[in-house]
Coordinates of all heavy atoms in Angstrom, one line a residue:
M1 N 140.0 147.4 -90.9 CA 140.4 148.7 -91.5 C 139.8 149.8 -90.7 O 138.6 149.9 -90.4 CB 139.9 148.7 -92.9 CG 140.1 150.0 -93.6 SD 139.3 150.2 -95.2 CE 139.5 148.6 -95.9
E2 N 140.6 150.8 -90.3 CA 140.2 151.9 -89.6 C 140.0 153.1 -90.5 O 140.9 153.3 -91.4 CB 141.2 152.3 -88.5 CG 140.8 153.4 -87.6 CD 141.8 153.7 -86.5 OE1 142.4 152.7 -86.0 OE2 142.0 154.8 -86.1
A3 N 139.0 153.9 -90.4 CA 138.7 155.0 -91.2 C 139.7 156.1 -91.0 O 140.0 156.4 -89.8 CB 137.3 155.5 -91.0
R4 N 140.3 156.6 -92.0 CA 141.2 157.7 -91.9 C 140.4 159.0 -91.9 O 139.2 159.0 -91.8 CB 142.2 157.6 -93.0 CG 143.0 156.3 -93.0 CD 143.9 156.2 -94.2 NE 144.4 154.8 -94.2 CZ 144.4 154.0 -95.2 NH1 144.0 154.5 -96.4 NH2 144.9 152.8 -95.1
T5 N 141.1 160.1 -92.1 CA 140.3 161.4 -92.2 C 139.3 161.2 -93.3 O 139.6 160.8 -94.4 CB 141.3 162.5 -92.6 OG1 142.3 162.6 -91.6 CG2 140.6 163.8 -92.7
T6 N 138.1 161.4 -92.9 CA 136.9 161.2 -93.8 C 136.8 162.3 -94.8 O 136.7 163.4 -94.5 CB 135.6 161.1 -93.0 OG1 135.8 160.1 -92.0 CG2 134.4 160.8 -93.8
R7 N 136.8 161.9 -96.1 CA 136.6 162.8 -97.2 C 135.5 162.2 -98.0 O 135.6 161.3 -98.8 CB 137.8 162.9 -98.1 CG 137.6 163.9 -99.2 CD 138.9 164.4 -99.8 NE 138.6 165.4 -100.8 CZ 138.6 165.2 -102.1 NH1 139.0 164.0 -102.5 NH2 138.3 166.2 -102.9
I8 N 134.3 162.8 -97.8 CA 133.1 162.4 -98.5 C 133.0 163.3 -99.7 O 133.0 164.5 -99.7 CB 131.9 162.5 -97.6 CG1 132.0 161.5 -96.4 CG2 130.6 162.2 -98.4 CD1 131.0 161.7 -95.4
E9 N 132.8 162.6 -100.9 CA 132.6 163.4 -102.1 C 131.2 163.3 -102.6 O 130.5 162.3 -102.4 CB 133.6 162.8 -103.2 CG 135.0 162.9 -102.8 CD 135.9 162.2 -103.8 OE1 135.4 161.6 -104.9 OE2 137.2 162.2 -103.6
R10 N 130.8 164.3 -103.3 CA 129.5 164.4 -103.9 C 129.6 164.1 -105.4 O 130.4 164.8 -106.0 CB 128.8 165.7 -103.6 CG 127.4 165.8 -104.3 CD 126.7 167.1 -104.0 NE 125.6 167.2 -104.8 CZ 124.5 167.9 -104.5 NH1 124.4 168.4 -103.3 NH2 123.5 168.0 -105.4
E11 N 128.9 163.2 -105.9 CA 128.9 162.9 -107.4 C 127.5 163.2 -107.9 O 126.5 162.5 -107.5 CB 129.3 161.5 -107.6 CG 130.7 161.2 -107.2 CD 131.2 159.8 -107.4 OE1 130.3 158.9 -107.7 OE2 132.4 159.5 -107.2
D12 N 127.3 164.1 -108.8 CA 126.0 164.4 -109.3 C 125.8 163.7 -110.6 O 126.6 163.7 -111.5 CB 125.8 166.0 -109.6 CG 125.8 166.7 -108.3 OD1 125.1 166.3 -107.3 OD2 126.5 167.8 -108.2
G13 N 124.6 163.0 -110.7 CA 124.2 162.3 -111.9 C 123.0 162.9 -112.5 O 122.4 163.8 -112.0
A14 N 122.6 162.3 -113.7 CA 121.5 162.9 -114.4 C 120.2 162.7 -113.6 O 119.3 163.6 -113.6 CB 121.4 162.2 -115.8
G15 N 120.0 161.6 -113.0 CA 118.8 161.3 -112.2 C 119.1 161.2 -110.7 O 118.5 161.8 -109.9
T16 N 120.0 160.3 -110.4 CA 120.4 160.0 -109.1 C 121.8 160.5 -108.8 O 122.7 160.3 -109.7 CB 120.3 158.5 -108.8 OG1 119.0 158.0 -109.0 CG2 120.7 158.1 -107.4
S17 N 122.0 161.1 -107.7 CA 123.3 161.5 -107.3 C 123.7 160.8 -106.0 O 122.9 160.0 -105.5 CB 123.3 163.1 -107.0 OG 123.0 163.8 -108.2
R18 N 125.0 161.0 -105.6 CA 125.4 160.3 -104.4 C 126.5 161.0 -103.7 O 127.2 161.8 -104.2 CB 125.8 158.8 -104.7 CG 127.1 158.7 -105.4 CD 127.4 157.3 -105.8 NE 128.7 157.1 -106.3 CZ 129.4 156.0 -106.2 NH1 128.9 155.0 -105.6 NH2 130.6 155.9 -106.8
Y19 N 126.6 160.6 -102.4 CA 127.7 161.0 -101.6 C 128.5 159.7 -101.4 O 127.9 158.6 -101.2 CB 127.3 161.5 -100.2 CG 126.7 162.9 -100.2 CD1 125.4 163.1 -100.3 CD2 127.6 164.0 -100.2 CE1 124.8 164.3 -100.3 CE2 127.0 165.3 -100.3 CZ 125.7 165.4 -100.3 OH 125.1 166.7 -100.4
V20 N 129.8 159.7 -101.6 CA 130.6 158.5 -101.5 C 131.9 158.7 -100.7 O 132.5 159.8 -100.8 CB 130.9 158.0 -103.0 CG1 131.7 159.0 -103.8 CG2 131.6 156.6 -102.9
Y21 N 132.3 157.7 -100.0 CA 133.5 157.7 -99.3 C 134.3 156.4 -99.8 O 133.7 155.3 -99.8 CB 133.3 157.6 -97.8 CG 134.6 157.5 -97.0 CD1 135.5 158.6 -96.9 CD2 135.0 156.3 -96.5 CE1 136.7 158.5 -96.2 CE2 136.2 156.2 -95.8 CZ 137.0 157.3 -95.7 OH 138.2 157.2 -95.0
R22 N 135.5 156.6 -100.2 CA 136.3 155.5 -100.8 C 137.6 155.4 -100.0 O 138.2 156.4 -99.7 CB 136.7 155.8 -102.2 CG 135.6 155.8 -103.2 CD 136.1 156.1 -104.6 NE 135.0 156.3 -105.6 CZ 134.5 157.4 -105.9 NH1 134.9 158.5 -105.3 NH2 133.5 157.5 -106.7
I23 N 138.0 154.1 -99.8 CA 139.3 153.9 -99.2 C 139.7 152.4 -99.5 O 138.8 151.5 -99.4 CB 139.3 154.1 -97.7 CG1 140.8 154.1 -97.2 CG2 138.4 153.2 -96.9 CD1 140.9 154.6 -95.8
D24 N 140.9 152.2 -100.0 CA 141.4 150.9 -100.3 C 140.4 150.1 -101.2 O 140.3 148.9 -100.9 CB 141.7 150.1 -99.0 CG 142.8 150.8 -98.2 OD1 143.6 151.5 -98.8 OD2 142.8 150.7 -96.9
G25 N 139.8 150.7 -102.1 CA 138.9 150.0 -103.1 C 137.5 149.8 -102.6 O 136.7 149.3 -103.4
A26 N 137.2 150.1 -101.4 CA 135.8 150.0 -100.8 C 135.1 151.3 -100.9 O 135.7 152.3 -100.8 CB 135.9 149.5 -99.4
E27 N 133.8 151.2 -101.1 CA 133.0 152.5 -101.2 C 131.8 152.4 -100.3 O 131.1 151.4 -100.3 CB 132.4 152.7 -102.6 CG 133.4 153.1 -103.6 CD 132.8 153.4 -105.0 OE1 131.6 153.1 -105.1 OE2 133.5 153.9 -105.8
A28 N 131.5 153.4 -99.5 CA 130.3 153.6 -98.8 C 129.6 154.7 -99.5 O 130.2 155.7 -100.0 CB 130.6 154.0 -97.3
E29 N 128.2 154.5 -99.7 CA 127.5 155.5 -100.4 C 126.1 155.8 -99.9 O 125.5 155.0 -99.2 CB 127.4 155.1 -101.9 CG 126.4 154.0 -102.1 CD 126.1 153.7 -103.6 OE1 126.6 154.4 -104.5 OE2 125.3 152.8 -103.8
L30 N 125.7 157.0 -100.2 CA 124.3 157.5 -99.9 C 123.8 158.0 -101.2 O 124.4 158.9 -101.8 CB 124.3 158.5 -98.8 CG 122.9 159.2 -98.5 CD1 122.9 159.6 -97.1 CD2 122.6 160.4 -99.4
T31 N 122.7 157.4 -101.7 CA 122.2 157.9 -103.0 C 120.9 158.8 -102.7 O 120.2 158.6 -101.8 CB 121.8 156.8 -104.0 OG1 120.8 156.0 -103.4 CG2 123.1 156.0 -104.3
F32 N 120.8 159.8 -103.6 CA 119.6 160.7 -103.5 C 119.2 161.3 -104.8 O 120.0 161.2 -105.8 CB 120.0 161.8 -102.5 CG 121.1 162.7 -103.0 CD1 120.8 163.9 -103.6 CD2 122.4 162.4 -102.8 CE1 121.8 164.8 -104.1 CE2 123.4 163.2 -103.2 CZ 123.1 164.4 -103.9
R33 N 118.1 161.9 -104.8 CA 117.6 162.6 -106.0 C 117.0 163.9 -105.6 O 116.4 164.0 -104.4 CB 116.7 161.8 -106.9 CG 115.4 161.4 -106.3 CD 114.7 160.4 -107.2 NE 113.3 160.1 -106.7 CZ 113.0 159.3 -105.8 NH1 113.9 158.6 -105.2 NH2 111.8 159.1 -105.4
E34 N 117.1 164.9 -106.4 CA 116.6 166.2 -106.0 C 115.3 166.4 -106.8 O 115.2 166.0 -107.9 CB 117.6 167.3 -106.4 CG 118.8 167.2 -105.6 CD 119.8 168.4 -105.7 OE1 119.3 169.5 -105.6 OE2 120.9 168.2 -106.0
T35 N 114.3 167.0 -106.1 CA 113.1 167.3 -106.8 C 113.1 168.8 -107.2 O 114.0 169.5 -106.8 CB 111.9 167.1 -105.8 OG1 111.9 168.1 -104.8 CG2 111.9 165.7 -105.2
G36 N 112.2 169.2 -108.0 CA 112.2 170.6 -108.5 C 111.7 171.6 -107.5 O 111.8 172.8 -107.7
D37 N 111.2 171.1 -106.3 CA 110.7 172.0 -105.3 C 111.6 172.2 -104.1 O 111.2 172.4 -103.0 CB 109.3 171.6 -104.9 CG 109.2 170.2 -104.5 OD1 110.2 169.5 -104.4 OD2 108.1 169.8 -104.1
G38 N 112.9 172.0 -104.3 CA 113.9 172.3 -103.2 C 114.0 171.1 -102.2 O 114.4 171.4 -101.1
Q39 N 113.6 169.9 -102.6 CA 113.7 168.8 -101.7 C 114.7 167.8 -102.3 O 114.9 167.6 -103.5 CB 112.4 168.2 -101.5 CG 111.4 169.0 -100.8 CD 110.1 168.3 -100.5 OE1 109.6 167.5 -101.3 NE2 109.5 168.6 -99.3
I40 N 115.3 167.1 -101.3 CA 116.2 166.0 -101.6 C 115.6 164.7 -101.0 O 115.2 164.7 -99.9 CB 117.6 166.3 -101.0 CG1 118.2 167.5 -101.6 CG2 118.5 165.0 -101.1 CD1 119.4 168.0 -100.9
I41 N 115.6 163.7 -101.8 CA 115.0 162.4 -101.3 C 116.2 161.4 -101.2 O 116.8 161.1 -102.2 CB 114.0 161.8 -102.3 CG1 112.8 162.8 -102.5 CG2 113.5 160.5 -101.8 CD1 111.9 162.5 -103.6
I42 N 116.5 161.1 -100.0 CA 117.6 160.1 -99.7 C 116.9 158.7 -99.8 O 116.0 158.4 -99.1 CB 118.2 160.2 -98.3 CG1 118.9 161.6 -98.2 CG2 119.1 159.1 -98.0 CD1 119.4 161.9 -96.8
D43 N 117.4 157.9 -100.8 CA 116.7 156.6 -101.1 C 117.6 155.4 -100.8 O 117.1 154.3 -100.8 CB 116.2 156.6 -102.5 CG 117.3 156.9 -103.5 OD1 118.5 156.8 -103.2 OD2 117.0 157.2 -104.7
H44 N 118.8 155.6 -100.4 CA 119.7 154.4 -100.1 C 120.9 154.8 -99.4 O 121.6 155.8 -99.7 CB 120.0 153.7 -101.5 CG 121.1 152.6 -101.3 ND1 120.8 151.4 -100.7 CD2 122.4 152.6 -101.6 CE1 121.9 150.6 -100.7 NE2 122.8 151.3 -101.3
T45 N 121.3 154.0 -98.4 CA 122.6 154.2 -97.8 C 123.2 152.8 -97.8 O 122.6 151.8 -97.3 CB 122.5 154.7 -96.3 OG1 121.7 155.9 -96.4 CG2 123.8 155.0 -95.7
G46 N 124.4 152.6 -98.3 CA 125.1 151.4 -98.4 C 126.5 151.5 -97.8 O 127.3 152.3 -98.2
V47 N 126.8 150.6 -96.8 CA 128.1 150.6 -96.2 C 128.6 149.2 -96.2 O 128.0 148.3 -95.6 CB 128.0 151.1 -94.7 CG1 129.3 151.1 -94.0 CG2 127.4 152.5 -94.7
P48 N 129.8 149.0 -96.9 CA 130.3 147.6 -96.9 C 130.9 147.2 -95.6 O 131.2 148.1 -94.7 CB 131.4 147.7 -98.0 CG 131.8 149.2 -98.0 CD 130.6 149.9 -97.6
D49 N 131.1 145.9 -95.4 CA 131.7 145.4 -94.2 C 133.0 146.1 -93.8 O 133.3 146.2 -92.6 CB 131.9 143.9 -94.3 CG 130.6 143.1 -94.3 OD1 129.6 143.7 -93.9 OD2 130.6 141.9 -94.8
A50 N 133.8 146.5 -94.7 CA 135.1 147.2 -94.4 C 134.9 148.4 -93.6 O 135.8 148.8 -92.9 CB 135.8 147.5 -95.7
F51 N 133.7 149.0 -93.6 CA 133.5 150.3 -92.9 C 132.5 150.1 -91.7 O 132.2 151.0 -90.9 CB 132.8 151.3 -93.8 CG 133.7 151.8 -94.9 CD1 133.2 151.7 -96.2 CD2 135.0 152.2 -94.7 CE1 134.0 152.1 -97.3 CE2 135.8 152.6 -95.8 CZ 135.3 152.6 -97.0
R52 N 132.1 148.9 -91.4 CA 131.1 148.6 -90.4 C 131.7 149.0 -89.0 O 132.9 148.8 -88.8 CB 130.7 147.2 -90.3 CG 130.0 146.7 -91.6 CD 128.5 146.6 -91.4 NE 128.0 146.1 -92.7 CZ 127.0 146.6 -93.3 NH1 126.4 147.7 -92.8 NH2 126.6 146.1 -94.4
G53 N 130.8 149.6 -88.2 CA 131.3 150.0 -86.8 C 132.0 151.3 -86.8 O 132.5 151.7 -85.7
Q54 N 132.2 152.0 -87.9 CA 132.9 153.3 -87.9 C 132.0 154.5 -88.0 O 132.5 155.6 -88.1 CB 133.9 153.2 -89.0 CG 134.9 152.1 -88.9 CD 135.9 152.1 -90.1 OE1 136.2 153.1 -90.7 NE2 136.3 150.9 -90.4
G55 N 130.7 154.3 -88.1 CA 129.8 155.4 -88.2 C 129.7 156.0 -89.6 O 129.3 157.2 -89.7
M56 N 130.2 155.3 -90.6 CA 130.3 155.9 -91.9 C 128.9 156.2 -92.5 O 128.7 157.2 -93.1 CB 131.0 154.9 -92.8 CG 131.3 155.5 -94.2 SD 132.2 157.1 -94.1 CE 133.7 156.7 -93.3
G57 N 127.9 155.4 -92.2 CA 126.6 155.7 -92.7 C 126.1 157.0 -92.1 O 125.5 157.8 -92.8
A58 N 126.3 157.2 -90.8 CA 125.8 158.4 -90.2 C 126.6 159.6 -90.7 O 126.0 160.7 -90.8 CB 126.1 158.3 -88.7
K59 N 127.9 159.4 -91.0 CA 128.6 160.5 -91.6 C 128.1 160.9 -93.0 O 128.1 162.1 -93.3 CB 130.1 160.2 -91.7 CG 130.8 160.1 -90.3 CD 132.2 159.5 -90.4 CE 132.8 159.3 -89.0 NZ 134.1 158.7 -89.1
L60 N 127.7 160.0 -93.7 CA 127.1 160.3 -95.1 C 125.8 161.1 -94.9 O 125.6 162.0 -95.6 CB 126.9 159.0 -95.8 CG 128.2 158.2 -96.3 CD1 127.8 156.8 -96.7 CD2 128.8 159.0 -97.4
V61 N 125.0 160.6 -94.0 CA 123.7 161.4 -93.8 C 124.0 162.8 -93.3 O 123.4 163.7 -93.7 CB 122.8 160.6 -92.9 CG1 121.5 161.4 -92.6 CG2 122.4 159.2 -93.4
A62 N 124.9 162.9 -92.4 CA 125.3 164.2 -91.8 C 125.8 165.1 -92.9 O 125.5 166.3 -92.9 CB 126.3 164.1 -90.7
Q63 N 126.5 164.6 -93.9 CA 127.0 165.4 -95.0 C 125.9 165.9 -95.8 O 125.8 167.1 -96.2 CB 128.0 164.7 -95.8 CG 128.6 165.5 -96.9 CD 129.5 166.6 -96.4 OE1 130.5 166.3 -95.7 NE2 129.3 167.8 -96.7
A64 N 124.9 165.0 -96.1 CA 123.7 165.4 -96.9 C 122.9 166.5 -96.1 O 122.5 167.5 -96.7 CB 122.8 164.2 -97.1
V65 N 122.8 166.4 -94.8 CA 122.1 167.4 -94.0 C 122.8 168.7 -94.1 O 122.2 169.8 -94.3 CB 121.9 166.9 -92.5 CG1 121.5 168.0 -91.6 CG2 121.0 165.7 -92.5
E66 N 124.1 168.7 -93.9 CA 124.9 169.9 -93.9 C 124.8 170.6 -95.3 O 124.5 171.9 -95.3 CB 126.4 169.6 -93.7 CG 127.3 170.8 -93.7 CD 128.8 170.3 -93.4 OE1 129.0 169.5 -92.6 OE2 129.6 170.9 -94.1
D67 N 124.9 169.9 -96.4 CA 124.7 170.5 -97.7 C 123.3 171.0 -98.0 O 123.2 172.1 -98.6 CB 125.2 169.5 -98.8 CG 126.7 169.2 -98.8 OD1 127.4 169.9 -98.0 OD2 127.1 168.3 -99.6
A68 N 122.3 170.2 -97.5 CA 120.9 170.7 -97.7 C 120.7 172.0 -97.0 O 120.1 172.9 -97.5 CB 120.0 169.6 -97.3
R69 N 121.1 172.0 -95.7 CA 121.0 173.2 -94.9 C 121.6 174.4 -95.6 O 121.0 175.5 -95.7 CB 121.6 173.0 -93.5 CG 121.3 174.1 -92.6 CD 121.8 173.8 -91.2 NE 120.9 172.9 -90.5 CZ 121.2 171.8 -89.8 NH1 122.5 171.5 -89.6 NH2 120.3 171.1 -89.2
A70 N 122.8 174.3 -96.1 CA 123.6 175.4 -96.7 C 122.9 175.8 -98.0 O 122.9 177.0 -98.3 CB 125.0 174.9 -97.1
A71 N 122.2 174.9 -98.7 CA 121.5 175.2 -99.9 C 120.0 175.7 -99.7 O 119.3 176.0 -100.7 CB 121.6 174.0 -100.9
G72 N 119.6 175.6 -98.5 CA 118.2 176.0 -98.2 C 117.2 175.0 -98.7 O 116.0 175.3 -99.0
K73 N 117.6 173.7 -98.7 CA 116.7 172.6 -99.2 C 116.3 171.8 -98.0 O 116.9 171.8 -96.9 CB 117.5 171.7 -100.2 CG 117.8 172.5 -101.4 CD 118.5 171.6 -102.5 CE 118.8 172.5 -103.7 NZ 119.4 171.7 -104.8
T74 N 115.3 170.9 -98.2 CA 114.8 170.0 -97.2 C 115.0 168.6 -97.7 O 115.2 168.3 -98.9 CB 113.3 170.2 -96.8 OG1 112.5 170.1 -98.0 CG2 113.1 171.6 -96.2
I75 N 115.0 167.7 -96.7 CA 115.3 166.2 -97.0 C 114.1 165.4 -96.7 O 113.5 165.5 -95.6 CB 116.5 165.8 -96.3 CG1 117.7 166.5 -96.7 CG2 116.7 164.2 -96.4 CD1 119.0 166.2 -95.9
I76 N 113.8 164.5 -97.6 CA 112.8 163.4 -97.3 C 113.7 162.1 -97.2 O 114.2 161.6 -98.1 CB 111.8 163.2 -98.5 CG1 111.0 164.5 -98.7 CG2 110.9 162.0 -98.2 CD1 110.2 164.5 -99.9
P77 N 113.8 161.6 -96.0 CA 114.6 160.4 -95.8 C 113.8 159.1 -96.0 O 113.2 158.5 -95.1 CB 115.0 160.5 -94.3 CG 113.9 161.2 -93.6 CD 113.3 162.1 -94.7
S78 N 113.7 158.7 -97.3 CA 112.9 157.5 -97.6 C 113.7 156.2 -97.3 O 113.1 155.1 -97.1 CB 112.4 157.5 -99.0 OG 113.4 157.3 -99.9
C79 N 115.0 156.3 -97.2 CA 115.8 155.2 -96.8 C 115.6 154.9 -95.3 O 115.7 155.9 -94.5 CB 117.3 155.5 -97.1 SG 118.5 154.6 -96.2
S80 N 115.5 153.7 -94.8 CA 115.2 153.4 -93.4 C 116.4 153.9 -92.5 O 116.2 154.4 -91.4 CB 114.9 152.0 -93.2 OG 115.9 151.2 -93.6
F81 N 117.6 153.7 -93.0 CA 118.7 154.1 -92.2 C 118.7 155.6 -92.0 O 118.9 156.1 -90.9 CB 120.1 153.7 -92.8 CG 121.3 154.1 -92.1 CD1 121.7 153.4 -91.0 CD2 121.9 155.3 -92.4 CE1 122.7 153.8 -90.2 CE2 123.0 155.7 -91.6 CZ 123.4 154.9 -90.5
A82 N 118.5 156.4 -93.1 CA 118.5 157.8 -93.0 C 117.3 158.3 -92.1 O 117.5 159.2 -91.3 CB 118.4 158.5 -94.4
A83 N 116.2 157.7 -92.2 CA 115.1 158.0 -91.3 C 115.4 157.8 -89.9 O 115.1 158.6 -89.0 CB 113.8 157.2 -91.7
A84 N 116.1 156.7 -89.6 CA 116.5 156.4 -88.2 C 117.5 157.5 -87.7 O 117.5 157.9 -86.5 CB 117.2 155.0 -88.1
Q85 N 118.4 157.9 -88.6 CA 119.4 159.0 -88.2 C 118.6 160.3 -87.9 O 119.0 161.0 -86.9 CB 120.4 159.2 -89.3 CG 121.4 158.1 -89.5 CD 122.2 157.8 -88.2 OE1 122.8 158.8 -87.7 NE2 122.2 156.6 -87.7
F86 N 117.6 160.6 -88.6 CA 116.8 161.8 -88.4 C 116.2 161.7 -87.0 O 116.1 162.7 -86.3 CB 115.8 162.1 -89.5 CG 116.4 163.0 -90.6 CD1 117.1 162.4 -91.6 CD2 116.2 164.4 -90.5 CE1 117.6 163.2 -92.6 CE2 116.7 165.2 -91.5 CZ 117.4 164.6 -92.6
K87 N 115.7 160.5 -86.6 CA 115.1 160.4 -85.3 C 116.1 160.6 -84.2 O 115.8 161.0 -83.1 CB 114.5 159.0 -85.2 CG 113.2 158.9 -86.0 CD 112.6 157.5 -85.8 CE 111.3 157.4 -86.7 NZ 110.7 156.1 -86.6
R88 N 117.4 160.2 -84.4 CA 118.4 160.3 -83.5 C 119.0 161.7 -83.3 O 119.7 162.1 -82.4 CB 119.6 159.4 -83.8 CG 119.3 157.9 -83.6 CD 120.5 157.1 -83.8 NE 120.2 155.7 -83.7 CZ 120.3 154.8 -84.7 NH1 120.8 155.2 -85.9 NH2 119.9 153.6 -84.5
H89 N 118.7 162.5 -84.3 CA 119.2 163.9 -84.4 C 118.1 164.9 -84.5 O 117.9 165.5 -85.6 CB 120.2 164.1 -85.6 CG 121.4 163.2 -85.4 ND1 122.5 163.6 -84.7 CD2 121.7 162.0 -85.9 CE1 123.4 162.7 -84.7 NE2 123.0 161.7 -85.4
P90 N 117.5 165.3 -83.4 CA 116.4 166.3 -83.5 C 116.9 167.6 -83.9 O 116.1 168.4 -84.4 CB 115.9 166.4 -82.0 CG 117.0 165.7 -81.2 CD 117.7 164.8 -82.0
E91 N 118.2 167.9 -83.9 CA 118.7 169.2 -84.3 C 118.7 169.3 -85.9 O 119.0 170.4 -86.4 CB 120.2 169.4 -83.8 CG 121.2 168.4 -84.4 CD 121.4 167.1 -83.7 OE1 120.5 166.7 -83.0 OE2 122.4 166.4 -84.0
W92 N 118.3 168.2 -86.5 CA 118.2 168.2 -88.0 C 116.7 168.5 -88.4 O 116.4 168.5 -89.6 CB 118.6 166.9 -88.6 CG 120.0 166.6 -88.5 CD1 121.1 167.4 -88.0 CD2 120.6 165.3 -88.8 NE1 122.2 166.7 -88.0 CE2 122.0 165.4 -88.5 CE3 120.1 164.1 -89.2 CZ2 122.9 164.4 -88.7 CZ3 121.0 163.0 -89.4 CH2 122.4 163.2 -89.2
A93 N 115.8 168.8 -87.5 CA 114.4 169.0 -87.8 C 114.2 170.1 -88.8 O 113.3 170.1 -89.6 CB 113.6 169.3 -86.5
D94 N 115.1 171.1 -88.8 CA 114.9 172.2 -89.8 C 115.1 171.8 -91.2 O 114.6 172.5 -92.1 CB 115.9 173.4 -89.4 CG 117.4 173.0 -89.6 OD1 117.7 171.9 -89.0 OD2 118.1 173.7 -90.2
V95 N 115.7 170.7 -91.5 CA 115.9 170.3 -92.9 C 115.0 169.1 -93.3 O 115.0 168.7 -94.4 CB 117.4 170.0 -93.2 CG1 118.3 171.2 -93.1 CG2 117.9 168.9 -92.4
R96 N 114.3 168.5 -92.3 CA 113.4 167.4 -92.6 C 112.1 167.9 -93.3 O 111.5 168.8 -92.7 CB 113.1 166.6 -91.4 CG 112.3 165.4 -91.8 CD 112.2 164.3 -90.8 NE 111.5 163.2 -91.3 CZ 111.6 162.0 -90.8 NH1 112.3 161.8 -89.7 NH2 110.9 161.0 -91.3
A97 N 111.8 167.4 -94.4 CA 110.6 167.8 -95.1 C 109.4 167.3 -94.5 O 109.4 166.2 -93.8 CB 110.6 167.3 -96.6

């Protein structure tokens, strides 16, 4: 399955929120929670086999970075995948807590 135009949606929950991409019944997600001091903690990135090799996990993290930057928030990447993405993208240093 090839990814079409990527439309990542944000779903806010009572405790945990997420960014999600859906296509043909499959979902890729990044879950996070916000702290009261302007920080976002990314705690999980999950990409099903249907999306493997398409950079979907990286796109989810990039969306979180873009939104955090726009909101003046910082990110704590506690998820190992998100932490690795931050290491690959030094231009994100301004939003890393």
